[in-house]
Amino acid sequence: MDCLFCKIINREIPADIVYEDDEVLAFNDINPQAPTHVLIIPKQHIATLNDIEEHQLATVGRLQYTAARLSKDYGFAEGGYRVVMNCNEDGGQTVYHIHMHLMGGRRFTWPAG
């Protein structure tokens, strides 16, 4: 498979990993949009949100849990943070392996743009 994130999971491409368990991997974004910008990915390849199947719900929930846990570890859980998942080209997805952006350490505005 020629997936950038799968290559990171398999340690074929280096990444600044900040968290890992049996189901997810989290690493610092190489183009951060906030003082803390972490990508949280499932180790199982799922191309887009549209491709999630019912048997994968626990894995996808683990992404949310990991974001909340990391926000506490980084110290911005109480002040607030942003979690984003993009889907397909119009949604801004550039790597076709679902991933969650956890961003914190600054104030965010709405709409996102």
Side-chain angles (χ1 to χ4, degrees):
M1 179 171 292
D2 195 33
C3 169
L4 174 67
F5 290 169
C6 287
K7 288 179 179 181
I8 289 172
I9 292 164
N10 294 326
R11 304 305 201 267
E12 296 170 30
I13 296 174
D16 184 10
I17 296 170
V18 298
Y19 177 80
E20 181 174 15
D21 65 26
D22 291 341
E23 296 179 57
V24 304
L25 184 75
F27 53 93
N28 287 314
D29 194 301
I30 61 170
N31 185 27
Q33 302 300 305
T36 299
H37 186 165
V38 174
L39 299 180
I40 305 166
I41 64 173
K43 289 185 173 178
Q44 178 183 7
H45 182 84
I46 305 169
T48 75
L49 286 172
N50 296 334
D51 298 308
I52 296 169
E53 297 181 9
E54 189 170 354
H55 72 274
Q56 297 165 317
L57 295 178
T59 298
V60 176
R62 187 95 181 146
L63 299 178
Q64 291 282 25
Y65 173 79
T66 301
R69 178 178 171 180
L70 289 173
S71 73
K72 292 173 188 168
D73 291 348
Y74 282 110
F76 51 72
E78 292 300 316
Y81 55 97
R82 180 162 287 170
V83 175
V84 176
M85 291 183 81
N86 302 319
C87 185
N88 286 326
E89 187 176 351
D90 285 351
Q93 187 174 7
T94 57
V95 176
Y96 285 82
H97 182 125
I98 65 168
H99 55 286
M100 179 175 289
H101 296 258
L102 168 64
M103 294 173 281
R106 71 169 174 89
R107 180 175 291 276
F108 295 92
T109 60
W110 194 259

